[in-house]
Every structure is written in C-alpha cells, then in structure tokens.
Amino acid sequence: MADSSFDIVSKVERQEVDNALNQAAKEISQRFDFKGVGASIAWSGEKIEMRANSEERVKAILDIFQTKLVKRGISLKSLDAGEPQVSGKEYKLFASIQEGISQDNAKKVAKIIRDEGPKGVKAQVQGDELRVSHKSRDALQEVISLLKGKDFDFAIQFTNYR
C-alpha cells in the first residue's frame, strides 16, 4: 500500500484579496470621516497602496482593510504592512501579501513534526511547500492537529490530502 500524504502550503486567494480591497475602497468612499481627506486604497503593482492626509487616517484605512480580509477568511499573518511614510502633503502606507513557506520556516515545521509528531512521519521540503507522508492516515491527522495547535508567524493551509 502506498503512503498517504498531504501538503503544507501558505497560499492566498488573490481574488479574495481583490474583493476585500474593493470592499474597503467602497467603505472609505462612503464614510463621513474620510470625506475630503484624499483617502484611498488601491493596487500599486504587487503591493497595496493606502493614502490619506494624516498618519491616523492611513492607519484607519489599514484597519478597515484588515477587517475586510478577516471577513473573507484570509489570515492577517499573510499581510505584511509597512510603516506610514510622508510623501509631500500626504501619508502613504504600503502592504504586501506574503505567499509560500520560506526554506527556514519549512525547516522549523519539519523539525516540529520530527520531534513532536508520531514516529515514522516523513516531511520533505518541495519548493515553497512541505510534503508530509506516512503509511497511516491517523498519523497524518495527528500531525495536522499538532500543527493547528502551534502558533506560527506565517499562515499555513493543508492541501492534497490523499
């Protein structure tokens, strides 16, 4: 019998981020406290650019965007927001969406699986994801619950369970 396996990935649905951004832009355009202050949120290449006339307003835009992301089921661990910067008379804040598990983070997860997981479970790094395999599906379920109980500084999902 072949080994059962699953992948540990860190992916974000681009369409859901786009929807959250559009919802945030709509709320900003309709809210009274953002009238006439040049507040906006939009894609700028691969980054998300937020603009307003004060640092507090830019942070408020970020807060609205984060709320919309959570409502759409996207982990805030995948959002990497910078600090507000002055640009002329307005403030700008750039945020990016982090995808993929770095080599260092993949090694940390593999070490946790080796040290705390059931015996005989194999974890191997494949690019920006981690493949976990074992003969027993019960052992794989144990690994999933073990990792769900851990608090990583990056978002993880479990895919390709077979």
Side-chain angles (χ1 to χ4, degrees):
M1 188 175 127
D3 284 2
S4 298
S5 68
F6 69 89
D7 294 335
I8 301 172
V9 297
S10 180
K11 288 194 167 48
V12 176
E13 190 69 42
R14 174 82 176 195
Q15 186 61 49
E16 290 297 326
V17 174
D18 212 28
N19 291 342
L21 186 120
N22 291 335
Q23 288 177 339
K26 185 174 182 181
E27 182 174 325
I28 290 164
S29 70
Q30 293 174 344
R31 273 184 38 177
F32 180 75
D33 57 335
F34 286 116
K35 292 280 188 233
V37 297
S40 68
I41 181 171
W43 285 105
S44 173
E46 283 297 305
K47 292 186 181 252
I48 298 158
E49 179 182 16
M50 295 161 249
R51 299 170 173 239
N53 66 352
S54 74
E55 188 173 346
E56 292 78 30
R57 291 233 166 80
V58 169
K59 288 182 177 177
I61 293 171
L62 177 62
D63 187 48
I64 291 169
F65 182 54
Q66 288 175 333
T67 306
K68 301 299 180 190
L69 285 175
V70 169
K71 284 184 180 174
R72 293 213 149 276
I74 298 170
S75 172
L76 292 182
K77 292 178 181 178
S78 58
L79 180 71
D80 182 24
E83 289 297 313
Q85 305 160 346
V86 180
S87 172
K89 291 184 176 179
E90 66 182 5
Y91 283 80
K92 289 183 181 180
L93 190 145
F94 289 97
S96 60
I97 303 295
Q98 303 296 324
E99 286 194 293
I101 300 174
S102 71
Q103 291 290 325
D104 294 339
N105 289 336
K107 286 177 184 173
K108 286 180 198 170
V109 173
K111 182 168 175 20
I112 288 172
I113 293 171
R114 267 196 321 276
D115 296 347
E116 301 175 31
K119 295 287 177 231
V121 174
K122 293 190 285 281
Q124 58 212 90
V125 179
Q126 296 181 332
D128 61 351
E129 57 186 43
L130 195 68
R131 167 82 36 101
V132 180
S133 58
H134 191 268
K135 285 182 177 55
S136 160
R137 286 181 171 229
D138 293 338
L140 295 180
Q141 291 287 347
E142 282 182 51
V143 171
I144 289 175
S145 27
L146 167 75
L147 294 177
K148 281 185 177 177
K150 298 289 181 188
D151 186 32
F152 297 108
D153 56 349
F154 54 95
I156 60 172
Q157 295 89 29
F158 306 101
T159 60
N160 288 342
Y161 186 79
R162 51 185 122 185

